[in-house]
Amino acid sequence: MKKLPSRCEALGLDENWIDDSLRLLPFEVDKNQREALLYYVQLLQQWNDHFNLTAITGSQEVWIKHILDSLSVLPYLELKHREDQCYIDVGTGAGLPGVPLAIMRPQWRWRLIDSNAKKIRFLQQVRLMLPLPSVIAEHQRTETLLRDDLPVVVICRAYAPPERITEQVRAWFRDGEAIYLLQGQNLTTLIPPCGYVTDLYEALSVPQLNASRHLWVLIKQR
């Protein structure tokens, strides 16, 4: 009987290269999580041909610029994690950074929000295939999001300038809650949007990525 190719082989990726890249992360990735991350890359590429989910198409590039980049924020989320809070990925697109983070921490609550119905359809399929029962993928506009009484943490991966993002969440965001902004540029002058203060601004270490990445954490105040 012919042996089926491994997930890495199907994606044209080297097993050792994948394992080496994961060992550079400051947390452990077990075999099941590794397989789930690779399966997500496979689903992303399969659906991308029909739904235009991402401009990055090469398996290696997707792994570095989407998977490893998304995971780089996890240690910062863990520092202030609370069991009663919900993580909301606004403008999630194809599920970034929400899906890789949910694979690593499936016991946390995740809401992936986007106004593009095709991308949400893809994420609903991802949720079933991986599976990720703690993930909810919602076709909504950020401005009109309905929330429950759980405290929230907003995560956003460079889909809009900080001023626009903070304005979009203004109607439902509460004092003391945090927005984690993953950005490419290095800001020399940190001027938080009105009604926010800077809690953290730090360069992120993304394995294999030859580009600048930064995390800006904003806290809402009156």
Side-chain angles (χ1 to χ4, degrees):
M1 182 180 293
K2 187 176 180 181
K3 183 182 176 182
L4 292 174
S6 69
R7 196 82 67 188
C8 278
E9 289 170 338
L11 290 167
L13 295 171
D14 181 81
E15 300 263 2
N16 293 327
W17 181 82
I18 289 292
D19 291 338
D20 288 344
S21 71
L22 292 176
R23 277 192 286 269
L24 293 172
L25 294 168
F27 50 85
E28 185 178 350
V29 180
D30 66 31
K31 289 183 179 179
N32 291 333
Q33 291 165 334
R34 173 187 183 273
E35 280 303 296
L37 291 169
L38 288 167
Y39 190 19
Y40 171 57
V41 172
Q42 196 170 32
L43 290 171
L44 183 61
Q45 291 187 327
Q46 289 171 354
W47 281 62
N48 199 49
D49 293 338
H50 306 286
F51 287 83
N52 192 27
L53 301 172
T54 173
I56 299 172
T57 57
S59 296
Q60 193 171 91
E61 257 198 311
V62 169
W63 184 257
I64 296 171
K65 294 183 178 180
H66 284 336
I67 305 302
L68 298 178
D69 183 68
S70 294
L71 293 179
S72 66
V73 73
L74 181 58
Y76 298 90
L77 297 176
E78 289 190 307
L79 283 174
K80 298 190 177 182
H81 174 68
R82 289 168 41 182
E83 293 298 328
D84 65 339
Q85 66 192 9
C86 178
Y87 295 87
I88 302 179
D89 179 4
V90 298
T92 187
L96 300 158
V99 169
L101 291 171
I103 288 171
M104 295 306 304
R105 296 296 178 263
Q107 71 276 22
W108 296 4
R109 299 179 182 90
W110 301 93
R111 291 178 70 182
L112 312 185
I113 309 298
D114 204 276
S115 60
N116 186 308
K118 291 182 179 179
K119 291 178 179 179
I120 292 300
R121 203 175 312 145
F122 164 70
L123 292 176
Q124 289 168 343
Q125 186 68 21
V126 167
R127 178 184 180 273
L128 295 174
M129 298 293 288
L130 286 177
L132 293 171
S134 64
V135 169
I136 299 173
E138 301 177 59
H139 179 216
Q140 291 198 46
R141 296 191 64 82
T142 302
E143 299 91 328
T144 56
L145 177 72
L146 297 177
R147 57 174 288 178
D148 52 28
D149 288 333
L150 292 175
V152 305
V153 173
V154 166
I155 310 170
C156 182
R157 187 172 175 262
Y159 89 90
E163 295 80 9
R164 181 179 164 197
I165 296 165
T166 53
E167 178 60 26
Q168 286 178 338
V169 305
R170 181 177 59 84
W172 52 267
F173 210 51
R174 297 173 183 167
D175 293 343
E177 293 180 331
I179 301 179
Y180 287 68
L181 299 171
L182 282 74
Q183 300 182 304
Q185 71 270 30
N186 183 8
L187 302 179
T188 55
T189 303
L190 288 179
I191 303 176
C194 183
Y196 291 80
V197 295
T198 297
D199 183 59
L200 175 73
Y201 186 78
E202 191 164 309
L204 292 171
S205 177
V206 180
Q208 311 290 351
L209 182 65
N210 186 25
S212 174
R213 295 297 283 161
H214 293 81
L215 172 65
W216 192 6
V217 182
L218 297 169
I219 305 292
K220 188 174 186 296
Q221 290 191 342
R222 289 178 182 169

